[in-house]
Amino acid sequence: MDGKTWSTWSEGVSFGLENGMAVIPYALLKYYRKLNLSGSEAMLLIHLLSFRQVEGIEFPSLEELQVVTGRSISVLAGELQKLMKEGFISIDGDNDELRDIHYERYNFSGLYGKLGAYLATAVQENEQDKDKGAYATSAPRAAASGGGFGTPPISPSSLGDKEESRNLFSIFEKEFGRPLSPMECETISSWVDQDRYPEELILLALKESVFAGKVHFRYIDRILLEWARNRVKNAQDVKTYTQKFRNGGR
């Protein structure tokens, strides 16, 4: 840079720093799509955080948001309503008794909670993948040496099953036609880790819900509960139970 360019650049940086800096959660920038947020909705959240941190404005008006986003007031109002409806933000109200003023501010605990739940689920999935990878590499050695309680070598088909296991969340997203929410990911993890449903059974319940035209988690959970009560544990049990049900056996 020549002297003039360097001076202009440094003056610009100095001006920017004097205007303050906002601290934005990196997880929001990296994973907002995983939370089913659009780019404009994520940017709106960033602007709300920036107004609070830099300008001390905890409840910016629609007009103020319009100035920094360049978007219409009606669109901004719709996005704010969606963010509140889906629990990313809420509005807290309070009274300043000394000045007899009622004021409001945005509460971001919902956003932080959703980011935390997603990150916790991602860590759990990563640990499960590591455990499965360790089993896949150790089992063939045990079989070859005659150990491992007679564990047979892993066949290509069983490797395919394990790959499908790792893609359980992806299969659900494909059937739902959208990314899963953190709560939905937590539900699937609970089926596997707490309820101990075989993944084959979970996928069969998903298939049943698709056939019934009721592709939502509450319906799938009801199917799994009903199967558990009737000791349905695998594909053959599902087939037998379904035939019995359709023949009026219950």
Side-chain angles (χ1 to χ4, degrees):
M1 294 183 182
D2 57 29
K4 182 177 180 181
T5 303
W6 178 265
S7 176
T8 302
W9 180 85
S10 62
E11 289 173 359
V13 171
S14 176
F15 178 78
L17 293 176
E18 288 176 358
N19 276 269
M21 292 185 292
V23 179
I24 306 301
Y26 178 62
L28 173 60
L29 298 175
K30 188 173 183 180
Y31 299 115
Y32 71 89
R33 294 191 58 153
K34 297 293 184 180
L35 300 183
N36 204 26
L37 288 170
S38 68
S40 61
E41 290 163 352
M43 182 56 68
L44 181 55
L45 286 169
I46 290 171
H47 279 302
L48 293 176
L49 290 167
S50 300
F51 265 110
R52 167 176 289 187
Q53 296 177 31
V54 180
E55 301 189 37
I57 301 175
E58 297 194 293
F59 195 74
S61 67
L62 289 173
E63 288 78 10
E64 288 171 318
L65 291 171
Q66 183 183 35
V67 170
V68 295
T69 62
R71 312 184 74 212
S72 70
I73 287 179
S74 61
V75 170
L76 289 168
E79 290 183 344
L80 286 170
Q81 185 177 11
K82 179 187 174 185
L83 291 172
M84 286 188 285
K85 182 179 179 181
E86 296 184 359
F88 288 95
I89 57 175
S90 58
I91 298 176
D92 294 338
D94 206 349
N95 292 309
D96 186 334
E97 296 181 358
L98 293 176
R99 293 184 294 175
D100 192 25
I101 297 175
H102 176 79
Y103 62 91
E104 296 175 320
R105 59 176 174 267
Y106 284 111
N107 185 321
F108 298 93
S109 59
L111 169 64
Y112 299 140
K114 288 178 182 293
L115 284 171
Y118 174 78
L119 291 172
T121 301
V123 169
Q124 185 179 37
E125 289 178 22
N126 187 47
E127 291 299 322
Q128 290 174 352
D129 288 348
K130 287 180 179 178
D131 292 341
K132 292 170 184 175
Y135 173 80
T137 55
S138 63
R141 287 198 296 271
S145 62
F149 301 98
T151 303
I154 296 178
S155 66
S157 61
S158 63
L159 284 174
D161 291 341
K162 292 184 182 299
E163 183 66 28
E164 181 175 295
S165 171
R166 287 193 290 271
N167 290 330
L168 185 60
F169 291 88
S170 298
I171 293 171
F172 267 77
E173 287 187 338
K174 182 178 179 181
E175 291 296 340
F176 276 67
R178 58 169 175 79
L180 299 179
S181 70
M183 187 64 68
E184 290 169 340
C185 291
E186 186 177 345
T187 298
I188 295 175
S189 296
S190 176
W191 288 338
V192 175
D193 299 329
Q194 297 180 20
D195 299 320
R196 300 294 180 183
Y197 294 136
E199 293 182 359
E200 174 192 37
L201 211 62
I202 295 172
L203 292 176
L204 286 170
L206 172 62
K207 184 177 179 180
E208 286 289 320
S209 73
V210 172
F211 286 157
K214 300 178 180 179
V215 188
H216 51 78
F217 275 77
R218 186 176 298 176
Y219 186 76
I220 296 170
D221 191 54
R222 286 208 304 267
I223 293 175
L224 290 168
L225 283 172
E226 184 177 354
W227 286 351
R229 293 192 193 102
N230 289 275
R231 299 182 181 180
V232 175
K233 299 179 180 179
N234 52 47
Q236 183 58 48
D237 290 345
V238 170
K239 183 177 180 181
T240 301
Y241 180 80
T242 302
Q243 288 177 342
K244 179 181 177 182
F245 173 79
R246 288 172 180 169
N247 291 333
R250 73 166 187 172

